Coordinates of all heavy atoms in Angstrom, one line a residue:
M23 N 336.5 -26.6 285.6 CA 336.6 -26.9 284.2 C 337.4 -28.2 283.9 O 338.4 -28.4 284.7 CB 337.3 -25.8 283.4 CG 336.8 -25.6 282.0 SD 337.0 -24.1 281.3 CE 338.4 -24.4 280.2
N24 N 336.9 -29.0 283.1 CA 337.6 -30.3 282.8 C 338.6 -30.1 281.7 O 338.3 -29.9 280.6 CB 336.5 -31.3 282.5 CG 337.1 -32.7 282.3 OD1 338.3 -33.0 282.7 ND2 336.4 -33.7 281.8
Y25 N 339.9 -30.3 282.0 CA 341.0 -30.1 281.1 C 341.4 -31.5 280.4 O 342.2 -31.5 279.6 CB 342.2 -29.5 281.6 CG 341.8 -28.0 282.1 CD1 341.5 -27.7 283.4 CD2 342.0 -27.0 281.1 CE1 341.3 -26.4 283.7 CE2 341.7 -25.7 281.4 CZ 341.3 -25.4 282.7 OH 341.0 -24.1 283.0
T26 N 340.7 -32.6 280.9 CA 341.3 -33.9 280.5 C 341.2 -34.1 278.9 O 342.2 -34.6 278.3 CB 340.4 -35.0 281.1 OG1 340.2 -34.7 282.5 CG2 341.2 -36.4 281.0
K27 N 340.1 -33.5 278.3 CA 340.0 -33.7 276.9 C 341.1 -33.0 276.1 O 341.4 -33.4 275.0 CB 338.6 -33.5 276.4 CG 338.3 -32.0 276.5 CD 336.9 -31.9 275.7 CE 336.3 -30.4 275.9 NZ 335.0 -30.3 275.3
Y28 N 341.5 -31.8 276.7 CA 342.6 -31.1 276.1 C 343.9 -31.8 276.2 O 344.7 -31.7 275.2 CB 342.6 -29.7 276.6 CG 341.3 -29.0 276.6 CD1 340.8 -28.4 277.8 CD2 340.6 -28.9 275.5 CE1 339.5 -27.9 277.8 CE2 339.3 -28.3 275.4 CZ 338.8 -27.7 276.6 OH 337.6 -27.1 276.6
L29 N 344.1 -32.4 277.4 CA 345.4 -33.1 277.6 C 345.4 -34.3 276.7 O 346.5 -34.8 276.3 CB 345.4 -33.5 279.0 CG 345.6 -32.4 280.0 CD1 345.5 -33.0 281.5 CD2 347.0 -31.8 279.9
N30 N 344.3 -34.9 276.3 CA 344.3 -36.1 275.5 C 344.2 -35.8 274.0 O 344.2 -36.6 273.2 CB 343.1 -37.0 275.8 CG 343.3 -37.5 277.3 OD1 344.4 -37.9 277.7 ND2 342.2 -37.8 277.9
C31 N 344.1 -34.5 273.7 CA 344.0 -34.1 272.3 C 345.3 -33.9 271.7 O 346.2 -33.2 272.2 CB 343.2 -32.8 272.2 SG 343.2 -32.0 270.5
I32 N 345.5 -34.7 270.6 CA 346.9 -34.7 269.9 C 347.2 -33.3 269.4 O 348.3 -32.8 269.5 CB 346.8 -35.7 268.8 CG1 346.5 -37.1 269.3 CG2 348.3 -35.7 268.0 CD1 347.5 -37.8 270.1
E33 N 346.2 -32.7 268.8 CA 346.4 -31.3 268.2 C 346.7 -30.3 269.3 O 347.6 -29.4 269.0 CB 345.1 -30.9 267.4 CG 345.0 -31.5 266.1 CD 343.6 -31.2 265.5 OE1 343.3 -30.0 265.2 OE2 342.8 -32.1 265.2
C34 N 346.2 -30.4 270.4 CA 346.6 -29.6 271.5 C 348.0 -29.7 271.9 O 348.7 -28.8 272.2 CB 345.6 -29.8 272.8 SG 344.0 -29.0 272.6
Q35 N 348.4 -31.1 272.0 CA 349.7 -31.3 272.4 C 350.7 -30.8 271.4 O 351.7 -30.3 271.8 CB 349.9 -32.9 272.5 CG 349.3 -33.5 273.7 CD 349.2 -35.0 273.7 OE1 350.0 -35.6 272.9 NE2 348.3 -35.6 274.4
E36 N 350.3 -30.8 270.1 CA 351.2 -30.3 269.0 C 351.3 -28.9 269.1 O 352.3 -28.2 268.8 CB 350.7 -30.8 267.7 CG 351.2 -32.3 267.4 CD 350.5 -32.8 266.1 OE1 349.7 -32.1 265.5 OE2 350.8 -33.9 265.8
A37 N 350.1 -28.2 269.4 CA 350.1 -26.8 269.5 C 350.8 -26.2 270.7 O 351.2 -25.1 270.8 CB 348.7 -26.3 269.4
G38 N 351.0 -27.1 271.7 CA 351.7 -26.7 273.0 C 350.7 -26.1 274.0 O 351.0 -26.1 275.2
L39 N 349.6 -25.7 273.6 CA 348.6 -25.3 274.5 C 347.3 -25.7 274.1 O 346.9 -26.9 274.4 CB 348.6 -23.7 274.5 CG 347.8 -23.0 275.6 CD1 348.2 -23.5 277.0 CD2 347.9 -21.5 275.6
Y40 N 346.5 -24.9 273.3 CA 345.2 -25.4 272.8 C 345.2 -25.4 271.3 O 345.8 -24.4 270.6 CB 344.0 -24.6 273.2 CG 343.9 -24.5 274.7 CD1 344.1 -23.4 275.4 CD2 343.6 -25.7 275.5 CE1 344.0 -23.3 276.8 CE2 343.4 -25.7 276.9 CZ 343.6 -24.5 277.5 OH 343.5 -24.4 278.9
C41 N 344.6 -26.3 270.6 CA 344.4 -26.3 269.1 C 343.4 -25.3 268.9 O 342.6 -24.9 269.9 CB 344.1 -27.6 268.6 SG 342.5 -28.3 269.3
V42 N 343.2 -24.9 267.6 CA 342.2 -23.8 267.3 C 340.8 -24.1 267.8 O 340.2 -23.3 268.4 CB 342.2 -23.6 265.7 CG1 341.2 -22.6 265.4 CG2 343.6 -23.2 265.3
K43 N 340.4 -25.3 267.6 CA 339.0 -25.6 267.9 C 338.8 -25.6 269.5 O 337.8 -25.0 270.0 CB 338.8 -27.1 267.5 CG 337.3 -27.4 267.4 CD 337.1 -28.9 267.0 CE 337.0 -29.8 268.2 NZ 337.1 -31.2 267.9
H44 N 339.8 -26.1 270.2 CA 339.7 -26.0 271.6 C 339.9 -24.7 272.3 O 339.4 -24.3 273.3 CB 340.6 -27.1 272.2 CG 340.1 -28.5 272.1 ND1 340.8 -29.6 271.9 CD2 338.8 -28.9 272.1 CE1 340.1 -30.6 271.8 NE2 338.8 -30.3 271.9
R45 N 340.8 -23.9 271.6 CA 341.0 -22.6 272.1 C 339.7 -21.7 272.1 O 339.4 -21.0 273.1 CB 342.1 -21.9 271.3 CG 342.6 -20.6 271.9 CD 343.8 -20.0 271.2 NE 343.6 -19.8 269.8 CZ 343.1 -18.8 269.2 NH1 342.7 -17.9 270.1 NH2 342.8 -18.7 267.9
I46 N 339.0 -21.9 271.0 CA 337.7 -21.1 270.9 C 336.7 -21.5 272.1 O 336.1 -20.7 272.7 CB 337.1 -21.4 269.6 CG1 337.9 -20.7 268.5 CG2 335.6 -20.8 269.5 CD1 337.5 -21.2 267.0
E47 N 336.8 -22.9 272.3 CA 335.9 -23.4 273.3 C 336.3 -22.8 274.8 O 335.5 -22.5 275.5 CB 336.1 -24.9 273.3 CG 335.0 -25.7 274.0 CD 335.2 -27.2 273.8 OE1 334.9 -27.6 272.7 OE2 335.6 -27.8 274.7
V48 N 337.7 -22.9 275.0 CA 338.2 -22.5 276.3 C 337.9 -21.0 276.5 O 337.5 -20.5 277.6 CB 339.7 -22.7 276.4 CG1 340.3 -22.0 277.6 CG2 339.9 -24.2 276.5
E49 N 338.1 -20.1 275.5 CA 337.9 -18.8 275.5 C 336.4 -18.4 275.8 O 336.1 -17.5 276.5 CB 338.4 -18.0 274.2 CG 339.9 -17.9 274.2 CD 340.4 -17.3 272.9 OE1 339.5 -17.0 272.0 OE2 341.6 -17.1 272.8
R50 N 335.6 -19.2 275.1 CA 334.1 -18.9 275.4 C 333.7 -19.2 276.8 O 333.0 -18.4 277.4 CB 333.3 -19.9 274.4 CG 331.9 -19.5 274.3 CD 331.1 -20.4 273.4 NE 331.6 -20.2 272.0 CZ 331.7 -21.3 271.1 NH1 331.5 -22.5 271.5 NH2 332.2 -21.1 269.9
N51 N 334.3 -20.2 277.4 CA 334.0 -20.5 278.8 C 334.6 -19.4 279.7 O 333.8 -19.0 280.6 CB 334.7 -21.9 279.2 CG 333.8 -23.0 278.7 OD1 332.6 -22.9 278.6 ND2 334.4 -24.1 278.4
L52 N 335.7 -18.9 279.4 CA 336.3 -17.9 280.2 C 335.4 -16.7 280.2 O 335.2 -16.0 281.2 CB 337.8 -17.6 279.8 CG 338.8 -18.6 280.2 CD1 340.1 -18.3 279.5 CD2 339.0 -18.7 281.6
R53 N 335.1 -16.4 278.9 CA 334.2 -15.2 278.7 C 332.9 -15.3 279.5 O 332.5 -14.3 280.2 CB 333.9 -15.1 277.3 CG 333.9 -13.6 276.8 CD 333.8 -13.6 275.3 NE 334.9 -14.4 274.5 CZ 335.0 -14.4 273.3 NH1 334.2 -13.8 272.5 NH2 336.0 -15.1 272.7
K54 N 332.3 -16.4 279.5 CA 331.0 -16.6 280.2 C 331.2 -16.4 281.7 O 330.4 -15.8 282.3 CB 330.5 -18.1 279.9 CG 329.3 -18.2 279.1 CD 328.8 -19.6 279.1 CE 329.0 -20.2 277.7 NZ 328.8 -21.7 277.7
R55 N 332.4 -16.9 282.1 CA 332.7 -16.8 283.6 C 332.9 -15.3 284.0 O 332.4 -14.9 285.0 CB 333.9 -17.7 284.0 CG 333.9 -18.1 285.4 CD 335.0 -19.2 285.6 NE 336.3 -18.6 285.2 CZ 337.4 -19.5 285.2 NH1 337.3 -20.7 285.5 NH2 338.5 -19.0 284.8
E56 N 333.6 -14.6 283.2 CA 333.8 -13.2 283.4 C 332.6 -12.4 283.4 O 332.3 -11.6 284.2 CB 334.8 -12.6 282.3 CG 336.3 -13.0 282.6 CD 336.8 -12.5 283.9 OE1 336.6 -11.3 284.2 OE2 337.3 -13.3 284.7
I57 N 331.7 -12.7 282.5 CA 330.4 -12.0 282.3 C 329.6 -12.2 283.5 O 329.0 -11.3 284.2 CB 329.7 -12.3 281.0 CG1 330.5 -11.7 279.8 CG2 328.3 -11.8 281.0 CD1 330.1 -12.3 278.4
R58 N 329.5 -13.5 283.9 CA 328.7 -13.9 285.0 C 329.2 -13.2 286.4 O 328.4 -12.7 287.1 CB 328.8 -15.4 285.3 CG 327.5 -16.0 286.0 CD 327.6 -17.5 286.1 NE 327.6 -18.1 284.8 CZ 328.4 -19.1 284.5 NH1 329.3 -19.6 285.4 NH2 328.5 -19.6 283.3
K59 N 330.5 -13.1 286.5 CA 331.1 -12.4 287.7 C 330.8 -11.0 287.6 O 330.4 -10.4 288.7 CB 332.7 -12.6 287.6 CG 333.3 -12.8 288.9 CD 334.8 -13.2 288.7 CE 335.6 -12.2 288.1 NZ 337.0 -12.7 287.8
T60 N 330.9 -10.3 286.5 CA 330.5 -8.9 286.3 C 329.0 -8.6 286.7 O 328.7 -7.7 287.4 CB 330.8 -8.5 284.9 OG1 332.2 -8.7 284.6 CG2 330.6 -6.9 284.8
L61 N 328.2 -9.5 286.2 CA 326.7 -9.3 286.5 C 326.4 -9.4 287.9 O 325.3 -9.0 288.3 CB 326.0 -10.2 285.5 CG 326.0 -10.0 284.0 CD1 325.3 -11.0 283.3 CD2 325.4 -8.6 283.8
Q62 N 327.2 -10.1 288.7 CA 326.9 -10.3 290.1 C 327.2 -9.1 291.0 O 326.8 -9.0 292.1 CB 327.7 -11.5 290.6 CG 327.0 -12.9 290.4 CD 328.0 -14.0 290.6 OE1 329.1 -13.9 291.1 NE2 327.4 -15.2 290.4
I63 N 327.9 -8.1 290.4 CA 328.2 -6.9 291.1 C 326.9 -6.0 291.2 O 326.3 -5.7 290.1 CB 329.3 -6.1 290.5 CG1 330.6 -7.0 290.4 CG2 329.6 -4.9 291.3 CD1 331.8 -6.3 289.5
K64 N 326.4 -5.8 292.4 CA 325.2 -5.1 292.5 C 325.3 -3.6 292.3 O 324.4 -3.1 291.6 CB 324.7 -5.3 294.0 CG 324.3 -6.8 294.3 CD 322.9 -7.1 294.1 CE 322.6 -8.5 294.6 NZ 323.3 -9.6 293.8
D65 N 326.3 -3.1 292.8 CA 326.5 -1.5 292.7 C 327.1 -1.2 291.3 O 328.4 -1.4 291.2 CB 327.3 -1.0 293.8 CG 327.4 0.5 293.7 OD1 326.8 1.2 292.8 OD2 328.0 1.1 294.6
Q66 N 326.3 -0.7 290.4 CA 326.9 -0.5 289.1 C 327.6 0.9 289.0 O 328.1 1.2 287.9 CB 325.8 -0.6 287.9 CG 325.3 -2.0 287.9 CD 324.2 -2.1 286.8 OE1 323.7 -1.2 286.2 NE2 323.7 -3.4 286.7
Q67 N 327.6 1.6 290.1 CA 328.3 2.8 290.1 C 329.7 2.6 290.8 O 330.5 3.6 290.8 CB 327.5 3.9 290.9 CG 326.2 4.3 290.2 CD 326.3 4.7 288.8 OE1 327.2 5.5 288.5 NE2 325.5 4.2 287.9
S68 N 329.9 1.4 291.2 CA 331.2 1.2 292.1 C 332.4 1.1 291.1 O 332.2 0.7 289.9 CB 331.0 -0.1 292.8 OG 330.9 -1.2 292.0
D69 N 333.6 1.4 291.7 CA 334.7 1.2 290.9 C 335.0 -0.2 290.5 O 335.5 -0.5 289.4 CB 335.9 1.7 291.7 CG 336.0 3.2 291.8 OD1 335.3 3.9 291.0 OD2 336.7 3.8 292.6
Q70 N 334.5 -1.1 291.3 CA 334.7 -2.5 291.1 C 334.0 -2.9 289.8 O 334.6 -3.6 289.0 CB 334.1 -3.3 292.3 CG 334.4 -4.9 292.2 CD 333.5 -5.7 293.1 OE1 332.5 -5.2 293.6 NE2 333.8 -6.9 293.3
Y71 N 332.7 -2.4 289.6 CA 332.0 -2.7 288.4 C 332.6 -2.1 287.2 O 332.7 -2.7 286.2 CB 330.5 -2.2 288.7 CG 329.6 -2.5 287.6 CD1 329.0 -3.8 287.5 CD2 329.2 -1.6 286.6 CE1 328.2 -4.1 286.3 CE2 328.4 -1.9 285.5 CZ 327.9 -3.1 285.4 OH 327.0 -3.5 284.5
K72 N 333.0 -0.9 287.3 CA 333.7 -0.2 286.2 C 334.9 -0.9 285.8 O 335.2 -1.0 284.6 CB 334.0 1.3 286.6 CG 332.7 2.2 286.6 CD 333.0 3.5 287.1 CE 331.7 4.3 287.4 NZ 332.0 5.5 288.3
H73 N 335.6 -1.4 286.8 CA 336.9 -2.0 286.5 C 336.6 -3.3 285.8 O 337.3 -3.7 284.9 CB 337.6 -2.3 287.9 CG 338.9 -2.8 287.7 ND1 340.0 -2.0 287.4 CD2 339.5 -4.1 287.8 CE1 341.1 -2.8 287.4 NE2 340.8 -4.0 287.5
A74 N 335.5 -4.0 286.2 CA 335.2 -5.4 285.6 C 334.7 -5.2 284.2 O 335.2 -6.0 283.3 CB 334.0 -6.0 286.4
I75 N 334.0 -4.2 283.9 CA 333.5 -3.9 282.5 C 334.7 -3.5 281.7 O 334.8 -4.0 280.5 CB 332.5 -2.6 282.5 CG1 331.2 -3.1 283.2 CG2 332.2 -2.2 281.1 CD1 330.4 -4.1 282.4
K76 N 335.6 -2.7 282.2 CA 336.8 -2.4 281.4 C 337.6 -3.5 281.1 O 338.1 -3.7 280.0 CB 337.6 -1.3 282.2 CG 338.7 -0.6 281.5 CD 339.2 0.5 282.3 CE 340.5 1.0 281.8 NZ 341.7 0.3 282.3
G77 N 337.8 -4.4 282.1 CA 338.6 -5.7 281.9 C 337.9 -6.6 280.8 O 338.6 -7.1 280.0
L78 N 336.6 -6.5 280.8 CA 335.8 -7.4 279.9 C 336.0 -6.8 278.5 O 336.3 -7.6 277.5 CB 334.4 -7.3 280.3 CG 333.5 -8.5 280.0 CD1 334.1 -9.8 280.6 CD2 332.1 -8.3 280.5
L79 N 335.9 -5.6 278.3 CA 336.0 -4.9 277.0 C 337.5 -5.1 276.4 O 337.7 -5.4 275.3 CB 335.8 -3.5 277.1 CG 334.2 -3.1 277.3 CD1 334.0 -1.6 277.5 CD2 333.3 -3.6 276.3
E80 N 338.5 -4.9 277.4 CA 339.8 -5.1 276.9 C 340.1 -6.6 276.5 O 340.8 -6.9 275.5 CB 340.8 -4.8 278.1 CG 341.0 -3.3 278.1 CD 341.8 -2.8 279.4 OE1 342.1 -3.7 280.2 OE2 341.9 -1.6 279.5
S81 N 339.5 -7.5 277.3 CA 339.7 -8.9 276.9 C 339.1 -9.3 275.6 O 339.5 -10.1 274.8 CB 339.2 -9.9 278.0 OG 337.9 -9.6 278.4
Y82 N 338.0 -8.5 275.2 CA 337.3 -8.8 273.9 C 338.3 -8.4 272.8 O 338.4 -9.0 271.8 CB 336.0 -7.9 273.8 CG 334.8 -8.6 274.3 CD1 334.0 -8.2 275.4 CD2 334.4 -9.9 273.6 CE1 333.0 -8.8 275.8 CE2 333.2 -10.5 274.1 CZ 332.5 -10.0 275.2 OH 331.4 -10.6 275.6
D83 N 338.9 -7.3 273.0 CA 339.9 -6.9 272.1 C 341.0 -7.9 271.8 O 341.4 -8.2 270.7 CB 340.6 -5.5 272.5 CG 339.7 -4.4 272.2 OD1 338.8 -4.5 271.3 OD2 339.9 -3.3 272.8
I84 N 341.5 -8.4 272.9 CA 342.5 -9.4 272.9 C 342.1 -10.6 272.2 O 342.7 -11.2 271.3 CB 343.1 -9.8 274.3 CG1 343.8 -8.5 274.9 CG2 344.1 -10.9 274.2 CD1 344.0 -8.5 276.3
W85 N 340.9 -11.1 272.5 CA 340.3 -12.3 272.0 C 340.2 -12.1 270.5 O 340.3 -13.0 269.7 CB 339.0 -12.7 272.6 CG 339.2 -13.2 274.0 CD1 340.2 -14.1 274.5 CD2 338.4 -13.0 275.1 NE1 339.9 -14.3 275.7 CE2 338.9 -13.7 276.2 CE3 337.1 -12.3 275.3 CZ2 338.3 -13.8 277.5 CZ3 336.6 -12.3 276.6 CH2 337.1 -13.0 277.6
K86 N 339.7 -10.9 270.1 CA 339.4 -10.6 268.7 C 340.7 -10.6 267.9 O 340.7 -11.1 266.7 CB 338.8 -9.3 268.6 CG 337.7 -9.1 267.5 CD 336.9 -7.8 267.7 CE 337.9 -6.6 267.9 NZ 337.1 -5.4 268.4
C87 N 341.8 -10.1 268.5 CA 343.0 -10.0 267.7 C 343.9 -11.3 267.7 O 344.7 -11.5 266.9 CB 343.9 -8.9 268.3 SG 343.1 -7.3 268.2
T88 N 343.6 -12.2 268.6 CA 344.4 -13.5 268.7 C 344.1 -14.3 267.4 O 342.9 -14.6 267.1 CB 344.0 -14.3 269.9 OG1 343.9 -13.4 270.9 CG2 345.1 -15.3 270.2
P89 N 345.1 -14.7 266.6 CA 344.8 -15.4 265.4 C 344.3 -16.8 265.6 O 344.6 -17.4 266.7 CB 346.2 -15.4 264.8 CG 347.2 -15.3 265.9 CD 346.5 -14.4 266.9
Ligands
ZN18 ZN1 342.6 -29.8 271.0

């Protein structure tokens, strides 16, 4: 992922991490990566798969609650 545009963003600098616009963008990318990773697990009965789904659902809750 290319972080240069965030480093150069004044609003991100002021926010200390990501500004609202860029945070949404970053979270969307992370989510996509997590989903892709989960879908690559072949055995859907495996603990690994269940763990990945659980993590995904939990992160949705966190993302939803973050102001
Ligand atoms: Zn920004």
Side-chain angles (χ1 to χ4, degrees):
M23 210 158 107
N24 183 13
Y25 291 96
T26 318
K27 71 171 170 185
Y28 308 125
L29 291 173
N30 292 328
C31 170
I32 305 292
E33 284 174 59
C34 281
Q35 285 170 23
E36 281 173 356
L39 191 57
Y40 301 113
C41 62
V42 176
K43 199 182 95 196
H44 283 145
R45 191 170 55 82
I46 293 167
E47 199 176 285
V48 169
E49 284 177 357
R50 194 178 296 141
N51 282 331
L52 286 174
R53 218 173 303 186
K54 247 188 253 168
R55 204 166 59 186
E56 283 300 308
I57 292 169
R58 206 176 300 136
K59 216 167 67 186
T60 305
L61 291 176
Q62 277 169 358
I63 302 173
K64 296 265 185 295
D65 182 5
Q66 297 182 354
Q67 299 303 317
S68 67
D69 283 344
Q70 188 198 11
Y71 185 77
K72 287 173 190 164
H73 190 80
I75 292 288
K76 194 168 162 271
L78 211 54
L79 291 173
E80 278 169 2
S81 51
Y82 271 118
D83 280 342
I84 294 165
W85 287 322
K86 214 169 50 197
C87 294
T88 320

